[in-house]
Amino acid sequence: MNDIGKIGFPQNFLWGSASAAYQVEGAWNEDGKGPSIWDTYTKNPGTTFQDTNGDVAVDHYHRYQEDVALMAEMGLKAYRFSIAWSRIYPEGRGEVNEKGLQFYDDLINELIKYDIEPIITIYHWDVPQALMESYGAWESREIIHDFDEYCVTLYKRYGDRVKYWITLNEQNVFIQLGYYAGLHPPGVKDSKRMYEANHIANLANAKSIQSFRRFVPDGKIGPSFAYSPIYPFDSHPENILAFENAEELNNHWWLDVYCWGRYPTTIWQYLEKNGLSPTIEDGDFDLLTYGRPDFIGVNYYRTGTVEMNPLSGGIGKGSMNTTGKKGTTEEYGIPGLFKSKKNPYLEATNWDWEIDSTGLRIGLRRLASRYHLPILITENGLGEFDKLEEDYQINDDYRIDYIRSHIKACEQAIQDGVQLIGYCTWSFTDVLSWLNGYQKRYGFVYVDRDDHSEKSLRRIKKKSFYWYKKVIESGGENL
Ligand code: NOJ
């Protein structure tokens, strides 16, 4: 299982890069756009690093042509971007905003002009504020219908030119951080409400796939999941049990529903016993079974390592490092199930994200063997401080090392039998990193702005830009 023979990457492999509307566009209230929950949440002092927000972000809304020209110069084959729901429906439903639709038309046409495959993410966390106010967004079944209407509007408008679609981005993250950790909008800390909202999101996801089959019969659709494969800390049977618990609760809880239309047994049982299982109505499982994806979108950054966590006195919620001060992440867990543990074999970033390219190979193999679906890597990349040198150079060799090792892992996974459609890095330009501000940079293209000032917003190619260009040119040979 090491490097026996070389298969390489398929001819039509989607060498891509990704972004999300709130993190790049700016123009938060222009051309008829309504506010999203992130537009309002980030205005509450103390919710994000240095109170940063996406009002201007990296101004992609006004500079998309310049950004797409840079993608073309790099030779990018695919660009994954998200659509801001409240640009299309300022009130979340009802009246459509033609100017919003036009913006994405222009972006898509610009990409196609350069032979870059557009990949649309329908929902990347920015539910319209109006829906939060009128019925609590993901906490009401009303959203299933409104989300479907929004999807159908997009299918009808862009389905002729866009083949690959992502439904929900990282449902496991926006639901857990929004309703359990209280770190994302709406800032709720309630497990029961989290599992209810999550079930509703599952139904909305399935419904949107059901409609897709009608309106874009030749297209391909799937959700993007934030996938951290789990390791047991060691071979102590109690730690293996903790690993099974974490793998089922953190991963299968979502993936089994997407791919099979049912929840995993032991965690369902655990939630039932604790009064946390979601309300199921007639027809829910039919819809879930019907709304299965064509591929699994994988956002991979790291693995997780766990050990047993006693029921009494065990640790619960930890805290996240959003400052870039290495070593400030606190362990977290669920008493009686598992708790996180630092993996002694892995280096970590300044935000304490463990770097593990082998974990990507392991994860891809687990998914392929369990679900037998093609996989599209919709995100992978390194968030770090970058230094703009005097002569406008950014020597981000650490990013090159990270991406190189992960591309190698993809190649090995393909040799292992994984059907990999493409690989999108996160991100193309630098972006706003939600809770972490602008100082945590991911792009191939540096954007001259910081947490306090928009500065010139000038685009500057990093060393990794030239490196990834060669990788694409050589079809992944020249790493
Ligand atoms: C996950 C999210 O989809 C994206 O928006 C975020 O910025 C990156 N990963 C990095 O955390």
Side-chain angles (χ1 to χ4, degrees):
M1 278 291 176
N2 275 326
D3 288 306
I4 333 145
K6 197 161 163 61
I7 297 181
F9 291 92
Q11 263 292 311
N12 53 357
F13 193 72
L14 296 173
W15 293 100
S17 197
S19 73
Y22 186 69
Q23 298 179 271
V24 295
E25 285 179 5
W28 76 284
N29 58 359
E30 285 182 42
D31 291 340
K33 178 179 170 295
S36 81
I37 53 170
W38 277 92
D39 290 315
T40 46
Y41 183 73
T42 53
K43 307 284 160 49
N44 301 329
T47 49
T48 62
F49 180 71
Q50 308 270 317
D51 291 332
T52 41
N53 65 45
D55 283 4
V56 175
V58 299
D59 199 31
H60 176 69
Y61 189 78
H62 298 113
R63 297 169 194 242
Y64 75 91
Q65 284 169 312
E66 182 186 351
D67 291 342
V68 174
L70 283 165
M71 293 173 203
E73 181 186 335
M74 184 191 239
L76 218 60
K77 303 282 184 212
Y79 175 54
R80 171 187 176 229
F81 61 93
S82 84
I83 293 185
W85 185 344
S86 64
R87 233 182 244 298
I88 309 300
Y89 284 98
E91 295 291 318
R93 54 186 167 176
E95 195 107 351
V96 179
N97 176 31
E98 175 55 33
K99 283 193 175 159
L101 284 170
Q102 190 60 49
F103 169 69
Y104 298 106
D105 253 332
D106 295 344
L107 174 59
I108 290 166
N109 292 341
E110 193 72 11
L111 290 165
I112 290 174
K113 183 168 111 188
Y114 294 110
D115 286 326
I116 302 170
E117 182 90 41
I119 302 177
I120 288 182
T121 306
I122 299 170
Y123 181 73
H124 203 121
W125 304 355
D126 46 356
V127 78
Q129 176 67 20
L131 300 187
M132 183 59 77
E133 280 162 23
S134 91
Y135 53 70
W138 296 105
E139 291 193 83
S140 162
R141 283 182 179 240
E142 277 190 59
I143 202 167
I144 301 168
H145 174 264
D146 291 338
F147 182 65
D148 188 48
E149 292 270 294
Y150 160 58
C151 290
V152 169
T153 301
L154 304 185
Y155 299 156
K156 286 187 184 159
R157 181 81 171 217
Y158 311 124
D160 59 337
R161 283 156 292 159
V162 179
K163 179 174 178 194
Y164 291 99
W165 296 70
I166 308 298
T167 53
L168 302 180
N169 177 71
E170 297 195 350
Q171 182 187 330
N172 54 328
V173 171
F174 79 77
I175 290 287
Q176 293 189 100
L177 293 190
Y179 297 89
Y180 171 72
L183 293 170
H184 278 195
V188 170
K189 297 180 183 176
D190 183 321
S191 299
K192 174 70 177 160
R193 284 172 68 181
M194 173 187 79
Y195 285 110
E196 292 289 3
N198 185 59
H199 182 63
I200 291 170
N202 280 331
L203 296 169
N205 178 69
K207 179 90 185 137
S208 70
I209 295 179
Q210 191 180 39
S211 298
F212 186 77
R213 305 288 174 227
R214 250 196 351 268
F215 292 98
V216 197
D218 299 328
K220 301 280 177 206
I221 194 163
S224 277
F225 183 70
Y227 185 39
S228 295
I230 306 292
Y231 299 149
F233 185 63
D234 61 25
S235 59
H236 191 298
E238 291 291 339
N239 292 339
I240 301 293
L241 194 60
F243 148 75
E244 298 275 353
N245 290 336
E247 187 68 10
E248 190 161 306
L249 185 71
N250 291 357
N251 293 325
H252 302 164
W253 185 255
W254 281 273
L255 291 163
D256 285 6
V257 176
Y258 292 147
C259 302
W260 292 336
R262 58 175 193 254
Y263 288 105
T265 308
T266 54
I267 293 299
W268 180 271
Q269 184 68 15
Y270 165 85
L271 296 181
E272 281 257 271
K273 268 207 246 153
N274 289 281
L276 296 174
S277 55
T279 311
I280 304 294
E281 292 185 5
D282 278 356
D284 282 3
F285 286 115
D286 292 340
L287 177 58
L288 294 177
T289 308
Y290 192 84
R292 285 185 281 184
D294 299 304
F295 61 84
I296 306 173
V298 170
N299 292 355
Y300 176 85
Y301 292 88
R302 60 209 281 200
T303 44
T305 303
V306 299
E307 68 174 6
M308 60 95 74
N309 192 18
L311 190 55
S312 92
I315 62 166
K317 283 177 194 164
S319 78
M320 254 166 83
N321 165 0
T322 58
T323 59
K325 282 198 193 86
K326 205 168 180 166
T328 55
T329 303
E330 285 172 16
E331 290 179 347
Y332 74 95
I334 301 184
L337 293 183
F338 62 85
K339 71 169 183 236
S340 67
K341 208 50 199 157
K342 199 170 157 347
N343 188 323
Y345 301 101
L346 301 173
E347 295 290 329
T349 71
N350 279 312
W351 278 260
D352 300 322
W353 291 29
E354 281 146 340
I355 300 174
D356 184 8
S357 58
T358 306
L360 175 57
R361 181 180 183 185
I362 292 168
L364 293 174
R365 288 165 45 144
R366 284 186 188 171
L367 295 181
S369 292
R370 187 175 174 94
Y371 302 111
H372 300 278
L373 282 172
I375 296 171
L376 174 61
I377 295 182
T378 39
E379 286 182 31
N380 175 240
L382 181 71
E384 265 307 336
F385 298 109
D386 286 335
K387 190 159 180 298
L388 180 61
E389 319 257 343
E390 265 167 31
D391 49 354
Y392 291 100
Q393 304 273 323
I394 298 106
N395 291 306
D396 56 343
D397 295 278
Y398 37 89
R399 181 166 295 108
I400 296 174
D401 289 346
Y402 180 99
I403 298 177
R404 179 193 292 116
S405 65
H406 286 75
I407 292 177
K408 280 188 187 152
C410 289
E411 196 176 8
Q412 288 165 329
I414 292 172
Q415 289 177 34
D416 294 336
V418 174
Q419 203 188 324
L420 198 60
I421 307 170
Y423 172 85
C424 295
T425 67
W426 184 266
S427 48
F428 183 70
T429 61
D430 288 338
V431 304
L432 167 66
S433 280
W434 305 103
L435 303 179
N436 313 290
Y438 291 92
Q439 64 164 3
K440 189 180 185 190
R441 295 177 183 269
Y442 279 93
F444 292 126
V445 177
Y446 184 93
V447 177
D448 181 34
R449 72 152 296 162
D450 61 24
D451 293 316
H452 309 287
S453 156
E454 286 141 28
K455 297 169 108 179
S456 71
L457 291 164
R458 177 176 161 188
R459 274 64 174 145
I460 303 161
K461 289 169 256 175
K462 303 182 191 176
K463 188 171 179 184
S464 57
F465 179 99
Y466 301 101
W467 171 80
Y468 196 53
K469 181 174 163 48
K470 288 207 181 109
V471 173
I472 301 173
E473 258 164 24
S474 64
E477 280 282 317
N478 197 342
L479 286 174

Coordinates of all heavy atoms in Angstrom, one line a residue, residues 401-462:
D401 N 4.8 23.6 0.8 CA 5.1 22.2 1.4 C 3.8 21.6 1.8 O 3.6 20.4 1.6 CB 5.9 22.4 2.7 CG 7.4 22.8 2.4 OD1 7.8 22.7 1.2 OD2 8.1 23.2 3.3
Y402 N 2.9 22.3 2.4 CA 1.6 21.8 2.8 C 0.8 21.2 1.6 O 0.4 20.1 1.6 CB 0.8 22.9 3.5 CG -0.5 22.4 4.0 CD1 -0.7 22.0 5.4 CD2 -1.7 22.3 3.2 CE1 -2.0 21.6 5.8 CE2 -2.9 21.8 3.6 CZ -3.0 21.5 5.0 OH -4.3 21.0 5.4
I403 N 0.7 22.1 0.6 CA -0.2 21.7 -0.5 C 0.5 20.5 -1.3 O -0.1 19.6 -1.7 CB -0.5 22.9 -1.4 CG1 -1.3 23.9 -0.6 CG2 -1.3 22.4 -2.7 CD1 -1.6 25.2 -1.4
R404 N 1.8 20.6 -1.4 CA 2.5 19.5 -2.2 C 2.3 18.2 -1.5 O 1.9 17.2 -2.1 CB 4.0 19.8 -2.2 CG 4.8 18.7 -2.9 CD 6.3 18.8 -2.6 NE 6.9 20.0 -3.2 CZ 7.5 21.0 -2.6 NH1 7.6 20.9 -1.3 NH2 8.1 22.0 -3.2
S405 N 2.4 18.1 -0.2 CA 2.3 16.8 0.5 C 0.8 16.3 0.4 O 0.6 15.1 0.3 CB 2.7 16.9 2.0 OG 1.9 17.8 2.7
H406 N -0.1 17.3 0.4 CA -1.5 16.8 0.3 C -1.9 16.4 -1.1 O -2.7 15.5 -1.3 CB -2.5 17.9 0.8 CG -2.4 18.1 2.3 ND1 -1.4 18.6 3.0 CD2 -3.3 17.6 3.3 CE1 -1.6 18.5 4.3 NE2 -2.8 17.9 4.5
I407 N -1.2 17.0 -2.1 CA -1.5 16.5 -3.5 C -0.9 15.1 -3.7 O -1.5 14.3 -4.3 CB -0.9 17.5 -4.6 CG1 -1.7 18.8 -4.5 CG2 -0.9 16.9 -6.0 CD1 -1.1 19.9 -5.5
K408 N 0.3 14.9 -3.1 CA 0.9 13.6 -3.1 C -0.1 12.6 -2.5 O -0.3 11.4 -3.0 CB 2.2 13.5 -2.4 CG 3.3 14.1 -3.2 CD 4.7 13.8 -2.5 CE 5.8 14.5 -3.2 NZ 6.9 14.9 -2.4
A409 N -0.7 13.0 -1.4 CA -1.7 12.1 -0.7 C -2.9 11.8 -1.6 O -3.4 10.6 -1.6 CB -2.2 12.7 0.6
C410 N -3.3 12.8 -2.4 CA -4.4 12.5 -3.4 C -4.0 11.5 -4.4 O -4.7 10.6 -4.8 CB -4.7 13.8 -4.1 SG -5.5 15.1 -3.1
E411 N -2.7 11.7 -4.9 CA -2.3 10.7 -5.9 C -2.2 9.3 -5.3 O -2.6 8.3 -6.0 CB -0.9 11.2 -6.3 CG -0.4 10.5 -7.6 CD 0.9 11.1 -8.1 OE1 1.6 11.8 -7.4 OE2 1.3 10.7 -9.2
Q412 N -1.8 9.2 -4.1 CA -1.7 7.9 -3.5 C -3.1 7.3 -3.3 O -3.4 6.1 -3.5 CB -1.0 7.9 -2.2 CG 0.5 8.1 -2.4 CD 1.2 8.6 -1.1 OE1 0.6 9.3 -0.2 NE2 2.5 8.2 -1.0
A413 N -4.1 8.2 -2.9 CA -5.5 7.7 -2.8 C -6.0 7.3 -4.1 O -6.8 6.3 -4.1 CB -6.3 8.9 -2.2
I414 N -5.7 7.9 -5.2 CA -6.1 7.5 -6.5 C -5.6 6.1 -6.8 O -6.3 5.2 -7.2 CB -5.7 8.5 -7.6 CG1 -6.5 9.8 -7.4 CG2 -6.0 8.0 -9.0 CD1 -6.1 11.0 -8.3
Q415 N -4.3 5.9 -6.4 CA -3.7 4.6 -6.6 C -4.5 3.5 -5.8 O -4.6 2.4 -6.1 CB -2.3 4.6 -6.2 CG -1.4 5.3 -7.2 CD 0.1 5.3 -6.7 OE1 0.5 4.4 -6.1 NE2 0.8 6.4 -7.0
D416 N -5.0 4.0 -4.6 CA -5.7 3.1 -3.7 C -7.1 2.8 -4.2 O -7.8 2.0 -3.6 CB -5.8 3.7 -2.3 CG -4.5 3.8 -1.6 OD1 -3.5 3.1 -1.9 OD2 -4.4 4.7 -0.7
G417 N -7.5 3.5 -5.3 CA -8.8 3.2 -5.9 C -9.9 4.3 -5.7 O -11.0 4.1 -6.0
V418 N -9.5 5.4 -5.0 CA -10.4 6.4 -4.8 C -10.7 7.2 -6.1 O -9.8 7.5 -6.9 CB -9.9 7.5 -3.8 CG1 -10.8 8.7 -3.6 CG2 -9.6 6.8 -2.4
Q419 N -12.0 7.4 -6.4 CA -12.3 8.1 -7.6 C -12.4 9.6 -7.3 O -13.4 10.1 -6.8 CB -13.7 7.6 -8.1 CG -13.9 7.9 -9.6 CD -15.3 7.5 -10.0 OE1 -15.9 6.6 -9.4 NE2 -15.9 8.3 -10.9
L420 N -11.3 10.3 -7.6 CA -11.2 11.7 -7.2 C -11.4 12.6 -8.5 O -10.7 12.4 -9.5 CB -9.8 11.9 -6.7 CG -9.5 13.2 -5.8 CD1 -10.5 13.2 -4.6 CD2 -8.1 13.3 -5.4
I421 N -12.4 13.5 -8.4 CA -12.7 14.3 -9.5 C -11.8 15.5 -9.6 O -11.5 16.0 -10.7 CB -14.2 14.8 -9.4 CG1 -15.2 13.7 -9.1 CG2 -14.6 15.6 -10.6 CD1 -16.6 14.2 -8.8
G422 N -11.5 16.1 -8.5 CA -10.7 17.3 -8.5 C -10.2 17.7 -7.1 O -10.5 17.1 -6.1
Y423 N -9.4 18.8 -7.1 CA -8.7 19.2 -5.9 C -8.8 20.7 -5.9 O -8.1 21.4 -6.8 CB -7.3 18.7 -5.9 CG -6.4 19.3 -4.8 CD1 -6.4 18.7 -3.5 CD2 -5.6 20.4 -5.0 CE1 -5.6 19.2 -2.5 CE2 -4.8 20.9 -4.0 CZ -4.8 20.3 -2.7 OH -4.0 20.8 -1.7
C424 N -9.6 21.3 -5.0 CA -9.6 22.8 -4.9 C -8.9 23.2 -3.7 O -9.2 22.8 -2.5 CB -11.0 23.3 -4.8 SG -12.0 23.0 -6.2
T425 N -7.9 24.1 -3.8 CA -7.2 24.6 -2.6 C -8.1 25.7 -2.0 O -9.0 26.3 -2.7 CB -5.9 25.3 -3.0 OG1 -6.2 26.5 -3.7 CG2 -5.0 24.4 -3.8
W426 N -8.0 25.9 -0.7 CA -8.5 27.1 -0.1 C -7.4 28.0 0.2 O -6.5 27.6 1.0 CB -9.2 26.7 1.2 CG -9.9 27.8 1.9 CD1 -9.4 28.7 2.8 CD2 -11.2 28.4 1.5 NE1 -10.3 29.7 3.1 CE2 -11.4 29.5 2.4 CE3 -12.2 28.0 0.6 CZ2 -12.6 30.3 2.3 CZ3 -13.3 28.8 0.6 CH2 -13.5 29.9 1.4
S427 N -7.2 29.1 -0.3 CA -8.2 29.8 -1.2 C -7.4 30.4 -2.4 O -6.2 30.3 -2.4 CB -8.9 30.9 -0.4 OG -7.9 31.7 0.3
F428 N -8.1 31.1 -3.3 CA -7.3 31.7 -4.4 C -6.6 33.0 -4.0 O -5.4 33.0 -3.9 CB -8.2 31.9 -5.6 CG -7.4 32.4 -6.8 CD1 -6.5 31.6 -7.4 CD2 -7.5 33.7 -7.2 CE1 -5.7 32.1 -8.5 CE2 -6.8 34.2 -8.3 CZ -5.8 33.4 -8.9
T429 N -7.4 34.0 -3.6 CA -6.8 35.2 -3.0 C -6.9 35.0 -1.5 O -7.6 34.1 -1.0 CB -7.6 36.5 -3.4 OG1 -9.0 36.3 -2.8 CG2 -7.7 36.7 -4.8
D430 N -6.2 35.8 -0.8 CA -6.5 35.9 0.7 C -7.9 36.3 0.9 O -8.5 36.9 0.1 CB -5.6 36.9 1.3 CG -4.1 36.4 1.4 OD1 -3.9 35.2 1.3 OD2 -3.2 37.3 1.5
V431 N -8.5 35.8 2.0 CA -9.9 36.1 2.3 C -10.1 36.5 3.8 O -9.1 36.4 4.5 CB -10.7 34.8 2.0 CG1 -10.6 34.3 0.6 CG2 -10.4 33.7 3.0
L432 N -11.3 36.9 4.1 CA -11.6 37.0 5.5 C -11.8 35.7 6.2 O -12.6 34.9 5.7 CB -12.9 37.9 5.7 CG -13.5 37.9 7.1 CD1 -12.6 38.6 8.1 CD2 -14.9 38.5 7.1
S433 N -11.1 35.4 7.2 CA -11.3 34.0 7.9 C -12.3 34.1 9.0 O -11.9 33.9 10.2 CB -9.9 33.5 8.3 OG -9.2 33.0 7.3
W434 N -13.5 34.4 8.7 CA -14.6 34.4 9.7 C -14.3 34.9 11.0 O -14.2 36.1 11.2 CB -15.2 33.0 9.8 CG -15.7 32.4 8.5 CD1 -15.0 31.4 7.8 CD2 -16.8 32.7 7.7 NE1 -15.7 31.1 6.6 CE2 -16.8 31.9 6.6 CE3 -17.9 33.6 7.9 CZ2 -17.8 31.9 5.6 CZ3 -18.9 33.6 6.9 CH2 -18.8 32.8 5.8
L435 N -14.0 34.0 12.0 CA -13.7 34.4 13.4 C -12.2 34.9 13.5 O -11.8 35.5 14.5 CB -13.9 33.3 14.4 CG -15.3 32.6 14.4 CD1 -15.4 31.5 15.4 CD2 -16.4 33.7 14.7
N436 N -11.4 34.6 12.5 CA -9.9 34.8 12.7 C -9.4 36.0 12.0 O -8.2 36.2 11.9 CB -9.1 33.6 12.2 CG -9.7 32.3 12.6 OD1 -9.6 31.9 13.8 ND2 -10.3 31.5 11.8
G437 N -10.2 36.8 11.4 CA -9.8 38.0 10.8 C -9.1 37.8 9.5 O -9.1 36.8 8.9
Y438 N -8.3 38.9 9.1 CA -7.6 38.9 7.8 C -6.1 38.4 8.0 O -5.5 38.2 7.0 CB -7.6 40.3 7.2 CG -9.0 40.7 6.7 CD1 -9.9 41.4 7.5 CD2 -9.4 40.3 5.4 CE1 -11.2 41.7 7.1 CE2 -10.7 40.6 5.0 CZ -11.6 41.3 5.8 OH -12.8 41.6 5.4
Q439 N -5.7 38.3 9.2 CA -4.3 38.0 9.4 C -4.0 36.5 9.1 O -2.9 36.1 8.9 CB -3.8 38.3 10.8 CG -4.5 37.6 11.9 CD -3.8 37.7 13.3 OE1 -2.8 38.4 13.4 NE2 -4.3 37.0 14.3
K440 N -5.0 35.7 9.2 CA -4.9 34.3 8.8 C -5.1 34.1 7.3 O -6.2 34.2 6.8 CB -5.9 33.4 9.6 CG -5.6 31.9 9.5 CD -6.6 31.1 10.3 CE -6.3 29.6 10.3 NZ -7.4 28.8 10.8
R441 N -4.0 34.0 6.6 CA -4.1 34.0 5.1 C -3.9 32.6 4.5 O -3.2 31.8 5.0 CB -2.9 34.9 4.6 CG -3.1 36.4 5.0 CD -1.9 37.2 4.5 NE -2.0 38.6 5.0 CZ -2.6 39.6 4.3 NH1 -3.1 39.3 3.1 NH2 -2.7 40.8 4.8
Y442 N -4.7 32.4 3.5 CA -4.7 31.1 2.8 C -4.4 31.2 1.3 O -4.2 30.2 0.7 CB -6.1 30.5 2.9 CG -6.5 29.9 4.2 CD1 -7.2 30.6 5.2 CD2 -6.2 28.5 4.4 CE1 -7.5 29.9 6.4 CE2 -6.6 27.9 5.6 CZ -7.3 28.6 6.6 OH -7.6 28.0 7.7
G443 N -4.4 32.4 0.7 CA -4.4 32.5 -0.7 C -3.0 32.2 -1.4 O -2.0 32.2 -0.8
F444 N -3.2 32.1 -2.8 CA -2.0 32.1 -3.7 C -1.7 33.6 -4.0 O -0.6 33.9 -4.5 CB -2.3 31.4 -5.0 CG -2.5 29.9 -4.9 CD1 -3.6 29.3 -5.4 CD2 -1.5 29.1 -4.3 CE1 -3.8 27.9 -5.3 CE2 -1.6 27.7 -4.2 CZ -2.8 27.1 -4.7
V445 N -2.7 34.4 -3.8 CA -2.6 35.8 -4.1 C -2.8 36.6 -2.9 O -3.8 36.5 -2.2 CB -3.7 36.2 -5.2 CG1 -3.6 37.7 -5.5 CG2 -3.5 35.4 -6.5
Y446 N -1.8 37.4 -2.5 CA -1.8 38.2 -1.3 C -2.7 39.4 -1.6 O -2.7 40.0 -2.7 CB -0.4 38.7 -1.0 CG -0.2 39.5 0.2 CD1 0.1 38.8 1.4 CD2 -0.3 40.9 0.2 CE1 0.4 39.6 2.6 CE2 -0.1 41.6 1.4 CZ 0.2 40.9 2.6 OH 0.4 41.7 3.7
V447 N -3.5 39.8 -0.6 CA -4.3 41.0 -0.8 C -3.8 42.0 0.3 O -3.8 41.7 1.5 CB -5.8 40.7 -0.6 CG1 -6.6 42.0 -0.7 CG2 -6.3 39.8 -1.7
D448 N -3.5 43.2 -0.2 CA -2.9 44.2 0.6 C -4.0 44.9 1.5 O -4.6 45.9 1.1 CB -2.2 45.3 -0.2 CG -1.6 46.4 0.6 OD1 -1.1 46.1 1.7 OD2 -1.6 47.5 0.1
R449 N -4.4 44.2 2.5 CA -5.2 44.8 3.5 C -5.0 44.1 4.9 O -4.3 43.0 4.9 CB -6.7 44.7 3.2 CG -7.4 43.3 3.3 CD -8.8 43.4 3.6 NE -9.0 44.0 4.9 CZ -10.2 44.5 5.3 NH1 -11.3 44.5 4.5 NH2 -10.3 45.1 6.5
D450 N -5.4 44.7 6.0 CA -5.2 44.0 7.2 C -6.5 44.1 8.1 O -7.5 44.5 7.6 CB -3.9 44.4 8.0 CG -4.0 45.9 8.3 OD1 -5.1 46.4 8.5 OD2 -2.9 46.5 8.5
D451 N -6.3 43.7 9.4 CA -7.5 43.7 10.2 C -8.1 45.1 10.5 O -9.3 45.2 10.9 CB -7.2 43.0 11.5 CG -6.9 41.5 11.3 OD1 -7.7 40.9 10.5 OD2 -5.9 41.0 11.9
H452 N -7.2 46.1 10.4 CA -7.7 47.4 10.8 C -8.0 48.3 9.6 O -8.7 49.3 9.7 CB -6.6 48.1 11.6 CG -6.2 47.2 12.8 ND1 -7.0 46.9 13.8 CD2 -5.1 46.4 12.9 CE1 -6.4 46.1 14.7 NE2 -5.2 45.7 14.1
S453 N -7.4 48.0 8.4 CA -7.5 48.9 7.3 C -7.6 48.2 6.0 O -7.0 47.1 5.8 CB -6.3 49.9 7.3 OG -6.1 50.4 6.0
E454 N -8.4 48.8 5.1 CA -8.6 48.2 3.8 C -7.3 48.4 2.9 O -7.2 47.8 1.8 CB -9.8 48.7 3.1 CG -11.1 48.2 3.7 CD -12.2 49.3 3.7 OE1 -12.1 50.2 2.9 OE2 -13.0 49.2 4.6
K455 N -6.5 49.4 3.3 CA -5.3 49.7 2.5 C -5.6 49.8 1.0 O -6.6 50.3 0.6 CB -4.2 48.7 2.9 CG -3.8 48.7 4.3 CD -2.9 47.6 4.7 CE -1.5 48.1 5.0 NZ -0.7 46.9 5.4
S456 N -4.6 49.2 0.2 CA -4.8 49.4 -1.3 C -5.6 48.3 -1.9 O -6.1 48.4 -3.0 CB -3.4 49.4 -1.9 OG -2.9 48.2 -1.9
L457 N -5.8 47.2 -1.2 CA -6.5 46.0 -1.7 C -5.8 45.4 -3.0 O -6.3 44.6 -3.7 CB -8.0 46.2 -2.0 CG -8.8 46.4 -0.8 CD1 -10.2 47.1 -1.1 CD2 -9.1 45.1 0.0
R458 N -4.5 45.8 -3.1 CA -3.8 45.4 -4.3 C -3.5 43.9 -4.2 O -3.3 43.3 -3.2 CB -2.5 46.2 -4.3 CG -1.5 45.8 -5.4 CD -0.3 46.6 -5.4 NE 0.7 45.9 -6.2 CZ 2.0 46.3 -6.2 NH1 2.4 47.4 -5.6 NH2 2.8 45.6 -6.9
R459 N -3.5 43.2 -5.4 CA -3.3 41.8 -5.5 C -1.8 41.6 -5.8 O -1.3 42.2 -6.7 CB -4.1 41.2 -6.6 CG -5.5 40.7 -6.3 CD -6.5 41.8 -5.9 NE -7.8 41.3 -5.8 CZ -8.7 41.7 -4.9 NH1 -8.4 42.6 -4.1 NH2 -9.9 41.1 -4.9
I460 N -1.1 40.7 -5.0 CA 0.3 40.4 -5.2 C 0.5 38.9 -5.2 O 0.1 38.2 -4.3 CB 1.1 41.0 -4.1 CG1 0.9 42.6 -4.1 CG2 2.6 40.8 -4.4 CD1 1.3 43.2 -2.8
K461 N 1.1 38.4 -6.3 CA 1.2 36.9 -6.4 C 2.3 36.4 -5.4 O 3.4 37.0 -5.4 CB 1.6 36.6 -7.9 CG 0.5 36.7 -8.9 CD 1.0 36.6 -10.3 CE 1.1 38.0 -10.9 NZ 1.6 38.0 -12.3
K462 N 1.9 35.4 -4.7 CA 2.9 34.8 -3.8 C 3.7 33.7 -4.5 O 3.4 33.3 -5.6 CB 2.2 34.1 -2.6 CG 1.2 35.0 -1.8 CD 0.5 34.2 -0.7 CE -0.6 35.0 -0.1 NZ -1.3 34.3 1.0

